[in-house]
Amino acid sequence: SGGTLLRASVDEHAVVLMVFIGTVPELIHTAFIKCAQELEIEANKCSDEDYEVYISMYQSLSERYRLEDESVMIEEFYRSMVLLICGFAECTLKGELLNPGQRFKGNYLNSVYNQVNAEQKLGLKGMGFYWKNHVSFKKTRNQIAHSKCEVLISKEELLEALDGVHTLLRAVADAIAAKHMD
């Protein structure tokens, strides 16, 4: 049934996003460590054991390879994950609308959720029941998407939001599956 496929899709997407959040920052960190080690080797080769030359060479190379950008890259990755998590929720719910091309004014995610709930007579509670911090997370999403301001978000906040989105979408999928069984 539709609900069973939706359940599997929701679970699969949630796992993929969780793996991204858990591994990509580690991969970035590891790449920067490896790069720093390679620059040390290169600076050593060129310095002929002269410490001043080594330091100068290493600083020059690290500026060229932007070693100081590790935290910036991770922050940018986290910001992109905010958009991805919200997109996961919006696209999944939009796919359950009778008219997926329907336009909404105001809070898109709330509107789509309420419309799916009403159209399919799912009898679900308000969105906040399933996803506790959805209001502040969507505010963060809007700041990132529209204000271009330097919003900081932590790994923990991302995982918490992902858990909320997963709970919300599973409630929808479970309700749809239950309707198809009746």
Side-chain angles (χ1 to χ4, degrees):
S1 81
T4 310
L5 283 174
L6 181 60
R7 257 190 215 146
S9 171
V10 163
D11 290 346
E12 193 175 295
H13 279 84
V15 167
V16 167
L17 291 175
M18 194 181 304
V19 169
F20 273 0
I21 293 166
T23 58
V24 171
E26 248 338 284
L27 293 172
I28 291 170
H29 180 64
T30 303
F32 272 90
I33 288 173
K34 189 174 182 221
C35 185
Q37 289 168 342
E38 288 170 7
L39 296 184
E40 282 175 20
I41 292 167
E42 189 62 32
N44 257 330
K45 272 191 219 165
C46 299
S47 69
D48 208 21
E49 294 185 25
D50 181 330
Y51 185 70
E52 298 290 320
V53 173
Y54 167 80
I55 291 294
S56 170
M57 191 72 192
Y58 183 80
Q59 283 176 335
S60 170
L61 288 168
S62 69
E63 282 171 19
R64 184 180 323 148
Y65 289 97
R66 301 180 63 121
L67 286 185
E68 74 284 356
D69 284 357
E70 177 183 349
S71 61
V72 173
M73 278 181 86
I74 293 172
E75 287 165 12
E76 280 302 318
F77 169 72
Y78 283 163
R79 280 192 281 274
S80 71
M81 289 307 296
V82 169
L83 302 177
L84 214 50
I85 289 168
C86 285
F88 168 43
E90 290 172 358
C91 292
T92 303
L93 290 170
K94 187 178 175 178
E96 298 307 311
L97 286 171
L98 294 177
N99 172 12
Q102 185 175 345
R103 297 258 184 245
F104 295 96
K105 295 220 182 307
N107 187 321
Y108 183 81
L109 189 56
N110 267 13
S111 301
V112 173
Y113 172 75
N114 292 334
Q115 183 82 13
V116 168
N117 196 12
E119 281 179 357
Q120 299 199 29
K121 297 174 180 60
L122 300 177
L124 293 169
K125 294 178 165 63
M127 206 163 110
F129 179 81
Y130 307 100
W131 180 10
K132 303 278 182 268
N133 292 335
H134 73 97
V135 173
S136 66
F137 194 77
K138 286 183 303 194
K139 190 172 157 191
T140 299
R141 178 241 174 246
N142 290 339
Q143 287 177 318
I144 292 167
H146 305 300
S147 309
K148 302 284 183 249
C149 53
E150 293 300 306
V151 180
L152 288 180
I153 185 126
S154 70
K155 180 180 187 172
E156 292 68 35
E157 289 171 300
L158 288 173
L159 292 172
E160 185 183 315
L162 180 57
D163 185 55
V165 166
H166 186 227
T167 302
L168 175 76
L169 297 178
R170 264 312 290 264
V172 170
D174 291 346
I176 290 172
K179 282 210 90 65
H180 284 290
M181 292 179 110
D182 292 344

